Amino acid sequence: MTDLKKRLAKILLEKSYIEGEVTLTSGKKSDYYFDCKQTALHAEGSWLIGTLFLELLKDCDIDGVGGMTLGADPLVSAVTVLSHAQGRNLPGFIVRKQPKGHGTNQYLEGMSNFRPGSRVVLLEDVVTTGGTLLKAIERVRDAGLEIAGVLCVLDREEGGRANIENAGLELTSIFTRRELLDAGKD
């Protein structure tokens, strides 16, 4: 798996990691921006993320994966498609930021693949404070699903892990910022 992580780090640093002062979704200032969608929408990047997430999920007894739109959309798709190719068949769902206002008017899409009490893992591209994840956690629990954990591509190590743990969940990341920079050096 180390070779896959190193390759993913190279793609992330090339396509998704931008140094320079930015304002994040949380309102915090940062000296770098991480736009994971650029890698998650790249064919090899998507395959690597899906493969690494599935490796992290190999011992988890879960019924599927999901996450908050838009960052988690390509992550959920990668995991669901690769899980099928591996014979595991993990369906996915997407959490809307707002209910669509018509039809079923619900926050979660893909719920016909799940039943109340289904065990799921949430996927996220980058975690800073965990604010987006906390909204997703609330909506997923309100929909009657049991959350078994949270996986992310990058943990910025800026309080998100502690906030997720305070919600009773464990956050597992493919990389922290330091790990990403170190892996990309080789």
Side-chain angles (χ1 to χ4, degrees), residues 3 6 10 13 20 32-33 38 47 52 54 59-60 69 74 85 97 99 104 106-107 112-113 118 125-126 138 144 150:
D3 289 342
K6 285 184 181 193
K10 296 235 184 255
L13 290 171
Y32 75 100
Y33 184 66
Q38 301 307 312
W47 181 84
L52 289 166
L54 281 168
D59 296 324
C60 295
T69 199
K97 291 185 176 155
T104 58
Q106 58 190 358
Y107 277 108
S112 66
N113 298 309
S118 291
D125 53 359
V126 60
E138 179 182 341
V150 179

Side-chain angles (χ1 to χ4, degrees), residues 6-21:
K6 285 184 181 193
R7 180 61 187 144
L8 178 59
K10 296 235 184 255
I11 296 171
L12 286 167
L13 290 171
E14 175 188 321
K15 299 201 170 291
S16 297
Y17 184 87
I18 304 157
E19 291 193 345
E21 189 173 314

Side-chain angles (χ1 to χ4, degrees), residues 65-141:
V65 296
M68 182 73 87
T69 199
L70 179 70
D73 293 2
L75 309 177
V76 171
S77 292
V79 170
T80 59
V81 169
L82 290 174
S83 74
H84 176 74
Q86 294 178 7
R88 188 162 180 199
N89 292 314
L90 294 173
F93 64 90
I94 300 296
V95 182
R96 290 178 169 276
K97 291 185 176 155
Q98 299 294 325
K100 62 183 176 180
H102 61 279
T104 58
N105 202 36
Q106 58 190 358
Y107 277 108
L108 274 63
E109 295 295 339
M111 288 302 290
S112 66
N113 298 309
F114 299 91
R115 64 187 187 294
S118 291
R119 287 177 47 83
V120 299
V121 166
L122 293 182
L123 307 178
E124 182 66 285
D125 53 359
V126 60
V127 174
T128 304
T129 64
T132 300
L133 271 171
L134 293 174
K135 285 181 199 168
I137 288 166
E138 179 182 341
R139 291 175 184 163
V140 170
R141 286 176 171 163

